[in-house]
mmCIF file of all heavy atoms in Angstrom:
data_model
loop_
_atom_site.group_PDB
_atom_site.id
_atom_site.type_symbol
_atom_site.label_atom_id
_atom_site.label_comp_id
_atom_site.label_asym_id
_atom_site.label_seq_id
_atom_site.Cartn_x
_atom_site.Cartn_y
_atom_site.Cartn_z
ATOM 1 N N VAL A 274 11.087 -44.982 220.591
ATOM 2 C CA VAL A 274 11.587 -45.646 219.371
ATOM 3 C C VAL A 274 13.077 -45.914 219.574
ATOM 4 O O VAL A 274 13.933 -45.204 219.040
ATOM 5 C CB VAL A 274 11.346 -44.768 218.115
ATOM 6 C CG1 VAL A 274 11.597 -45.582 216.846
ATOM 7 C CG2 VAL A 274 9.950 -44.179 218.091
ATOM 8 N N PRO A 275 13.413 -46.958 220.342
ATOM 9 C CA PRO A 275 14.800 -47.171 220.750
ATOM 10 C C PRO A 275 15.801 -47.373 219.598
ATOM 11 O O PRO A 275 16.963 -47.028 219.747
ATOM 12 C CB PRO A 275 14.745 -48.424 221.630
ATOM 13 C CG PRO A 275 13.325 -48.752 221.836
ATOM 14 C CD PRO A 275 12.497 -47.922 220.921
ATOM 15 N N ARG A 276 15.366 -47.885 218.485
ATOM 16 C CA ARG A 276 16.308 -48.153 217.384
ATOM 17 C C ARG A 276 16.501 -46.955 216.462
ATOM 18 O O ARG A 276 17.299 -47.031 215.528
ATOM 19 C CB ARG A 276 15.839 -49.360 216.563
ATOM 20 C CG ARG A 276 15.993 -50.672 217.306
ATOM 21 C CD ARG A 276 15.524 -51.885 216.503
ATOM 22 N NE ARG A 276 15.898 -51.874 215.109
ATOM 23 C CZ ARG A 276 15.127 -52.364 214.122
ATOM 24 N NH1 ARG A 276 13.954 -52.891 214.400
ATOM 25 N NH2 ARG A 276 15.525 -52.313 212.878
ATOM 26 N N MET A 277 15.808 -45.850 216.714
ATOM 27 C CA MET A 277 15.949 -44.689 215.837
ATOM 28 C C MET A 277 17.172 -43.871 216.252
ATOM 29 O O MET A 277 17.315 -43.491 217.409
ATOM 30 C CB MET A 277 14.687 -43.820 215.867
ATOM 31 C CG MET A 277 14.749 -42.699 214.859
ATOM 32 S SD MET A 277 13.151 -41.986 214.372
ATOM 33 C CE MET A 277 12.423 -41.550 215.911
ATOM 34 N N GLU A 278 18.035 -43.612 215.282
ATOM 35 C CA GLU A 278 19.217 -42.784 215.496
ATOM 36 C C GLU A 278 18.818 -41.314 215.378
ATOM 37 O O GLU A 278 17.807 -40.994 214.764
ATOM 38 C CB GLU A 278 20.280 -43.094 214.443
ATOM 39 C CG GLU A 278 20.688 -44.554 214.385
ATOM 40 C CD GLU A 278 21.432 -44.876 213.105
ATOM 41 O OE1 GLU A 278 22.157 -44.010 212.576
ATOM 42 O OE2 GLU A 278 21.278 -46.012 212.626
ATOM 43 N N THR A 279 19.643 -40.428 215.933
ATOM 44 C CA THR A 279 19.386 -38.990 215.838
ATOM 45 C C THR A 279 20.575 -38.302 215.194
ATOM 46 O O THR A 279 21.723 -38.590 215.529
ATOM 47 C CB THR A 279 19.140 -38.368 217.224
ATOM 48 O OG1 THR A 279 17.985 -38.989 217.800
ATOM 49 C CG2 THR A 279 18.910 -36.877 217.136
ATOM 50 N N ALA A 280 20.288 -37.416 214.253
ATOM 51 C CA ALA A 280 21.296 -36.562 213.622
ATOM 52 C C ALA A 280 20.834 -35.125 213.770
ATOM 53 O O ALA A 280 19.652 -34.836 213.605
ATOM 54 C CB ALA A 280 21.457 -36.925 212.152
ATOM 55 N N GLN A 281 21.734 -34.232 214.083
ATOM 56 C CA GLN A 281 21.415 -32.816 214.265
ATOM 57 C C GLN A 281 21.824 -32.056 213.011
ATOM 58 O O GLN A 281 22.960 -32.157 212.572
ATOM 59 C CB GLN A 281 22.186 -32.275 215.472
ATOM 60 C CG GLN A 281 21.911 -30.840 215.808
ATOM 61 C CD GLN A 281 20.545 -30.651 216.430
ATOM 62 O OE1 GLN A 281 20.013 -31.527 217.082
ATOM 63 N NE2 GLN A 281 19.959 -29.495 216.207
ATOM 64 N N GLU A 282 20.890 -31.314 212.403
ATOM 65 C CA GLU A 282 21.222 -30.500 211.226
ATOM 66 C C GLU A 282 20.251 -29.337 211.108
ATOM 67 O O GLU A 282 19.158 -29.492 210.585
ATOM 68 C CB GLU A 282 21.202 -31.339 209.950
ATOM 69 C CG GLU A 282 21.629 -30.555 208.737
ATOM 70 C CD GLU A 282 22.907 -29.753 208.940
ATOM 71 O OE1 GLU A 282 23.965 -30.374 209.140
ATOM 72 O OE2 GLU A 282 22.836 -28.513 208.916
ATOM 73 N N PRO A 283 20.650 -28.152 211.599
ATOM 74 C CA PRO A 283 19.745 -27.017 211.560
ATOM 75 C C PRO A 283 19.657 -26.310 210.205
ATOM 76 O O PRO A 283 18.672 -25.624 209.948
ATOM 77 C CB PRO A 283 20.327 -26.070 212.612
ATOM 78 C CG PRO A 283 21.768 -26.420 212.662
ATOM 79 C CD PRO A 283 21.852 -27.885 212.357
ATOM 80 N N LEU A 284 20.642 -26.457 209.324
ATOM 81 C CA LEU A 284 20.671 -25.668 208.091
ATOM 82 C C LEU A 284 20.702 -26.488 206.809
ATOM 83 O O LEU A 284 19.916 -26.246 205.897
ATOM 84 C CB LEU A 284 21.878 -24.721 208.100
ATOM 85 C CG LEU A 284 21.797 -23.567 209.095
ATOM 86 C CD1 LEU A 284 23.128 -22.864 209.203
ATOM 87 C CD2 LEU A 284 20.709 -22.594 208.698
ATOM 88 N N GLU A 285 21.616 -27.421 206.700
ATOM 89 C CA GLU A 285 21.849 -28.142 205.442
ATOM 90 C C GLU A 285 20.946 -29.372 205.341
ATOM 91 O O GLU A 285 21.403 -30.508 205.341
ATOM 92 C CB GLU A 285 23.332 -28.516 205.312
ATOM 93 C CG GLU A 285 24.257 -27.316 205.339
ATOM 94 C CD GLU A 285 23.955 -26.315 204.228
ATOM 95 O OE1 GLU A 285 23.560 -26.734 203.127
ATOM 96 O OE2 GLU A 285 24.109 -25.108 204.483
ATOM 97 N N LEU A 286 19.657 -29.108 205.228
ATOM 98 C CA LEU A 286 18.650 -30.166 205.263
ATOM 99 C C LEU A 286 18.759 -31.121 204.077
ATOM 100 O O LEU A 286 18.714 -32.338 204.252
ATOM 101 C CB LEU A 286 17.261 -29.542 205.328
ATOM 102 C CG LEU A 286 16.123 -30.463 205.674
ATOM 103 C CD1 LEU A 286 16.389 -31.215 206.962
ATOM 104 C CD2 LEU A 286 14.845 -29.662 205.791
ATOM 105 N N ALA A 287 18.910 -30.599 202.877
ATOM 106 C CA ALA A 287 19.013 -31.465 201.697
ATOM 107 C C ALA A 287 20.224 -32.385 201.816
ATOM 108 O O ALA A 287 20.154 -33.571 201.501
ATOM 109 C CB ALA A 287 19.088 -30.630 200.422
ATOM 110 N N ARG A 288 21.340 -31.837 202.311
ATOM 111 C CA ARG A 288 22.541 -32.647 202.488
ATOM 112 C C ARG A 288 22.292 -33.743 203.526
ATOM 113 O O ARG A 288 22.677 -34.895 203.333
ATOM 114 C CB ARG A 288 23.729 -31.776 202.914
ATOM 115 C CG ARG A 288 25.040 -32.575 203.003
ATOM 116 C CD ARG A 288 26.071 -31.902 203.879
ATOM 117 N NE ARG A 288 25.638 -31.671 205.249
ATOM 118 C CZ ARG A 288 25.514 -32.623 206.187
ATOM 119 N NH1 ARG A 288 25.760 -33.882 205.904
ATOM 120 N NH2 ARG A 288 25.133 -32.317 207.402
ATOM 121 N N ALA A 289 21.640 -33.406 204.620
ATOM 122 C CA ALA A 289 21.364 -34.390 205.671
ATOM 123 C C ALA A 289 20.440 -35.497 205.172
ATOM 124 O O ALA A 289 20.668 -36.679 205.462
ATOM 125 C CB ALA A 289 20.754 -33.700 206.888
ATOM 126 N N ILE A 290 19.421 -35.126 204.422
ATOM 127 C CA ILE A 290 18.517 -36.147 203.865
ATOM 128 C C ILE A 290 19.301 -37.064 202.943
ATOM 129 O O ILE A 290 19.208 -38.292 203.034
ATOM 130 C CB ILE A 290 17.322 -35.500 203.144
ATOM 131 C CG1 ILE A 290 16.403 -34.803 204.159
ATOM 132 C CG2 ILE A 290 16.540 -36.539 202.331
ATOM 133 C CD1 ILE A 290 15.343 -33.917 203.539
ATOM 134 N N GLY A 291 20.102 -36.486 202.066
ATOM 135 C CA GLY A 291 20.917 -37.279 201.152
ATOM 136 C C GLY A 291 21.907 -38.184 201.865
ATOM 137 O O GLY A 291 22.133 -39.326 201.463
ATOM 138 N N ALA A 292 22.494 -37.694 202.949
ATOM 139 C CA ALA A 292 23.494 -38.472 203.689
ATOM 140 C C ALA A 292 22.880 -39.671 204.410
ATOM 141 O O ALA A 292 23.533 -40.703 204.564
ATOM 142 C CB ALA A 292 24.214 -37.570 204.695
ATOM 143 N N HIS A 293 21.641 -39.545 204.856
ATOM 144 C CA HIS A 293 21.034 -40.608 205.662
ATOM 145 C C HIS A 293 20.043 -41.479 204.892
ATOM 146 O O HIS A 293 19.710 -42.578 205.345
ATOM 147 C CB HIS A 293 20.346 -39.994 206.883
ATOM 148 C CG HIS A 293 21.286 -39.322 207.810
ATOM 149 N ND1 HIS A 293 22.165 -40.012 208.601
ATOM 150 C CD2 HIS A 293 21.507 -38.006 208.047
ATOM 151 C CE1 HIS A 293 22.892 -39.148 209.304
ATOM 152 N NE2 HIS A 293 22.511 -37.929 208.981
ATOM 153 N N SER A 294 19.566 -41.014 203.768
ATOM 154 C CA SER A 294 18.527 -41.739 203.034
ATOM 155 C C SER A 294 19.106 -42.927 202.289
ATOM 156 O O SER A 294 20.033 -42.794 201.494
ATOM 157 C CB SER A 294 17.832 -40.785 202.055
ATOM 158 O OG SER A 294 16.775 -41.466 201.412
ATOM 159 N N ARG A 295 18.537 -44.094 202.569
ATOM 160 C CA ARG A 295 18.857 -45.341 201.865
ATOM 161 C C ARG A 295 17.553 -46.120 201.734
ATOM 162 O O ARG A 295 16.586 -45.839 202.430
ATOM 163 C CB ARG A 295 19.869 -46.175 202.655
ATOM 164 C CG ARG A 295 21.187 -45.461 202.893
ATOM 165 C CD ARG A 295 22.270 -46.355 203.483
ATOM 166 N NE ARG A 295 21.796 -47.418 204.332
ATOM 167 C CZ ARG A 295 22.381 -47.800 205.457
ATOM 168 N NH1 ARG A 295 23.452 -47.182 205.894
ATOM 169 N NH2 ARG A 295 21.909 -48.803 206.162
ATOM 170 N N ALA A 296 17.555 -47.086 200.855
ATOM 171 C CA ALA A 296 16.332 -47.869 200.626
ATOM 172 C C ALA A 296 15.824 -48.525 201.912
ATOM 173 O O ALA A 296 14.623 -48.676 202.100
ATOM 174 C CB ALA A 296 16.579 -48.922 199.554
ATOM 175 N N ASP A 297 16.737 -48.882 202.821
ATOM 176 C CA ASP A 297 16.352 -49.563 204.057
ATOM 177 C C ASP A 297 16.180 -48.613 205.243
ATOM 178 O O ASP A 297 15.983 -49.049 206.368
ATOM 179 C CB ASP A 297 17.382 -50.642 204.409
ATOM 180 C CG ASP A 297 18.748 -50.059 204.770
ATOM 181 O OD1 ASP A 297 19.013 -48.870 204.491
ATOM 182 O OD2 ASP A 297 19.559 -50.813 205.343
ATOM 183 N N THR A 298 16.251 -47.300 204.979
ATOM 184 C CA THR A 298 16.250 -46.316 206.068
ATOM 185 C C THR A 298 15.143 -45.284 205.900
ATOM 186 O O THR A 298 15.079 -44.595 204.888
ATOM 187 C CB THR A 298 17.616 -45.590 206.130
ATOM 188 O OG1 THR A 298 18.652 -46.562 206.277
ATOM 189 C CG2 THR A 298 17.666 -44.603 207.291
ATOM 190 N N LEU A 299 14.286 -45.175 206.911
ATOM 191 C CA LEU A 299 13.279 -44.129 206.958
ATOM 192 C C LEU A 299 13.913 -42.918 207.633
ATOM 193 O O LEU A 299 14.533 -43.040 208.689
ATOM 194 C CB LEU A 299 12.065 -44.592 207.757
ATOM 195 C CG LEU A 299 10.934 -43.575 207.897
ATOM 196 C CD1 LEU A 299 9.587 -44.252 207.718
ATOM 197 C CD2 LEU A 299 10.990 -42.859 209.231
#
Side-chain angles (χ1 to χ4, degrees):
V274 192
R276 289 180 42 215
M277 186 159 54
E278 304 164 33
T279 299
Q281 182 73 29
E282 184 48 65
L284 290 169
E285 301 301 326
L286 193 54
R288 184 201 58 74
I290 292 169
H293 296 288
S294 184
R295 300 189 329 220
D297 66 345
T298 304
L299 179 138

